[in-house]
Amino acid sequence: MENTINTSPAQTEKKKKILSCIQPSGIPTLGNYLGALKNWKLLSDEFDSAFAVADLHAITVRQDPQKLRKQIMEVLALLLAIGLDPDKSIIFIQSHVPAHSQLAWILNCYTQFGEMSRMTQFKDKSQSHADNVNVGLFAYPVLMAADILLYQADLVPVGADQKQHLEIARDIANRFNSIYGNTFTVPDPYIGKNGARVMSLQDPTKKMSKSDPNPKGFVSVFDAPETIMKKIKSAVTDSEGGVYYGEGKDGINNLMGIYSCCTGLSMDEIARDFEGKGYGDFKAAVGEAVVEELRPVRERYEQLIKDQAYLKQVAAKGAENASRIANRTLNKAMKKCGFVLP
Ligand code: TRP
C-alpha cells in the first residue's frame, strides 16, 4: 500500500480539544497500549486532537543520541500504527515546535520552587537517577504544562502517574489567568471509560513496565506471536483454579482485565465462558486475544518504519500545523507578560 499525505489541515474549531504526548523511551508495553494508546485512537474520532512525541522530556534523563534519534522515529511510527490519522489529528515531534521550550521558560517564572519540590515523580526520579538530578528533571512538569496550554487543550488523557503533573498545569494556568486575564484554557484530566491498568505478568501487584528487568513480566507491543503466547502462559496465577474476578487472585484478575480489553467481554461474561475450565485453557485464550489485538499494530508498524521519508513528511506537516496553534498562544502570553513582539 502506498503511503500518501493530505496537506490541507482539516481541523474544525467547535469540538473539544484533546492533547497527549508519549516519551520516546523504548517500545511501549501491552499495558501502555491498552491503558492509553488504544484510547487515543478512539478519542481522535471524537475530538480535535494533537499527539506528540515528547522528545524534550526524554533528555531529563541521560540518553544515548543514536538511540534517542531512532526511538523518536519509532514512536512516531507507532502513533500512526495504532491508527491515528495525520489528516485528522495533529501528530508531531515536540522539539520541532520551538514554542514548547519558549513557553516553558516563561511558565518557569510563574511556578514556585516549593510546588515542584512536592512532585512525587521528581522525588522518585531523583532517587533512581541520583547522579543526574538536573534542573530539567525538576522543571519537567512545567514543560508538560507548556505542551498542554499551548494547544488550549480542554482534556488531557493521562495515567495515574501523571495526574499530579496535570494538577500543576491547571494551577499554573489559573495563576497566569488571574494575573493577566484569560489566556489559557484550564485543562481537565480525561479518565478513560475502560481505564485498563495492566499489571506485571510475573508480579501482578505491580504495574506492567518495560523497564522490568524480567522480560517475562511484560508484553511489548511488538513481541512476536510466539513470544506473547509464551509470556502469557507463564504468567503467575494462584493455586485455586477458577477463572473469576476475586480477592487474592491478582494474576487472574489481571489476565481477565487484559482479555476484557481485547474482546470487549465483561468480567462476568468471561467467568461464565470459562466456568469449569482450567487456567491452561484460559491463558491460551488470553494469549490469542492479545496476539490478534496487537497483530494489525505490528504489521502496520513494520511497513511504516521502513518508510522514513513518509514519517518525515508526517512530522513536517504536524510541526507546521502544531506551530500555527502554539505560536498564537505563545504570542498572546508574551504580550500579556510585557514582551515586545518581534
Ligand atoms: N510526562 C508524560 C509521560 O511521561 C508525557 C507528556 C509530556 C505528556 N507532555 C505531556 C502527557 C502533555 C500529556 C500531556 O507520560
Side-chain angles (χ1 to χ4, degrees), residues 19-23 40 52 54 57 94 121 125 140 143-145 147-148 156-159 161-162 165-166:
L19 169 128
S20 203
C21 309
I22 179 168
Q23 288 202 48
W40 289 12
H57 278 99
Q94 186 187 30
Q121 190 177 79
K125 286 203 180 172
Y140 174 117
L143 177 60
M144 182 162 157
D147 298 339
I148 297 165
V156 182
V158 285
D161 62 325
Q162 296 296 320
H165 293 162
L166 191 64

Side-chain angles (χ1 to χ4, degrees), residues 241-244 268-278 281-282:
V243 179
Y244 60 91
D268 286 344
E269 286 166 333
I270 299 170
R272 205 180 326 122
D273 288 352
F274 288 91
E275 211 182 323
K277 292 192 183 145
D281 286 345
F282 180 53

